């Protein structure tokens, strides 16, 4: 591992400008009739997490798919002043993917938000499982060497 990166717990911390974490969850089934309300609830809680961790939301977009043209599920993105957090799900397959990319000078904000999002998902989907977590350093310069990715 390079001298500019270390692992705290199982999350990569780096002096690089950005962090990009991806979570893949399974067994997060949402009945078709509840997709919109579940997703709106998740957005509400993601926004609270962002606010409390100092990640300023500057925009948002949510699309719920009813299964007629695309598989049932949803996608949303919260645009942050320093990147984004997004969620994509296949409701009937129980698949959910979360992407958290921040380029804040405070790596702790990213780490805290990601842990709280994991906790939220565990609360919202008691049968769900975190299948994979992958975090990499981003906005590297020639002076910042990426360490092996986690996950």
């Amino acid at each position: 591992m390079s001298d500019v990166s270390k692992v705290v717990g199982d999350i990569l911390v780096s002096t690089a400008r950005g962090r990009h974490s991806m979570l893949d969850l399974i067994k997060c089934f949402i009945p078709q009739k509840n997709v919109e309300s579940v997703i709106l609830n998740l957005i509400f809680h993601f926004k609270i997490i962002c606010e409390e961790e100092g990640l300023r939301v500057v925009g948002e977009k949510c699309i719920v798919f009813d299964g007629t043209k695309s598989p049932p599920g949803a996608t949303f993105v919260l645009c942050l002043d320093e990147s984004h957090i997004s969620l994509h799900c296949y409701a009937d397959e129980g698949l959910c993917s979360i992407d958290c990319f921040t380029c804040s000078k405070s790596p702790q904000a990213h780490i805290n938000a990601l842990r709280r999002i994991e906790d939220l998902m565990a609360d919202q989907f008691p049968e769900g499982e975190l299948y994979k977590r992958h975090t990499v350093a981003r906005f590297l310069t020639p002076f910042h060497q990426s360490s092996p990715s986690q996950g």
Side-chain angles (χ1 to χ4, degrees):
M1 188 158 309
S2 76
D3 61 335
V4 296
S5 301
K6 64 179 179 173
V7 174
V8 175
D10 52 2
I11 298 177
L12 177 73
V13 180
S14 173
T15 57
R17 178 69 173 169
R19 277 139 222 93
H20 193 171
S21 297
M22 293 144 283
L23 306 175
D24 289 318
L25 298 104
I26 58 174
K27 300 180 185 174
C28 296
F29 297 99
I30 308 171
Q32 179 58 39
K33 64 181 181 172
N34 298 344
V35 172
E36 185 171 9
S37 62
V38 168
I39 294 300
L40 291 175
N41 184 53
L42 288 173
I43 292 170
F44 174 77
H45 288 289
F46 273 49
K47 288 167 71 173
I48 289 171
I49 290 169
C50 288
E51 178 181 320
E52 291 178 353
E53 296 303 332
L55 302 172
R56 189 168 67 95
V57 176
V58 296
E60 65 184 83
K61 180 71 175 179
C62 176
I63 306 287
V64 175
F65 301 104
D66 65 8
T68 56
K69 293 184 181 179
S70 297
T75 186
F76 75 77
V77 64
L78 297 178
C79 298
L80 306 176
D81 67 353
E82 294 182 294
S83 210
H84 70 273
I85 296 178
S86 63
L87 178 142
H88 310 282
C89 75
Y90 288 97
D92 59 342
E93 296 180 45
L95 301 175
C96 185
S97 179
I98 298 170
D99 185 86
C100 180
F101 185 2
T102 61
C103 48
S104 168
K105 291 180 181 177
S106 169
Q108 198 61 46
H110 179 100
I111 293 165
N112 292 347
L114 191 65
R115 286 190 178 137
R116 289 181 64 190
I117 287 169
E118 286 183 35
D119 290 344
L120 170 67
M121 296 303 287
D123 289 344
Q124 295 294 310
F125 300 98
E127 301 298 317
E129 296 176 21
L130 177 62
Y131 181 74
K132 185 172 183 176
R133 177 192 307 110
H134 183 74
T135 299
V136 295
R138 299 295 301 270
F139 287 115
L140 299 171
T141 68
F143 304 106
H144 296 107
Q145 299 298 316
S146 180
S147 65
S149 62
Q150 304 300 303

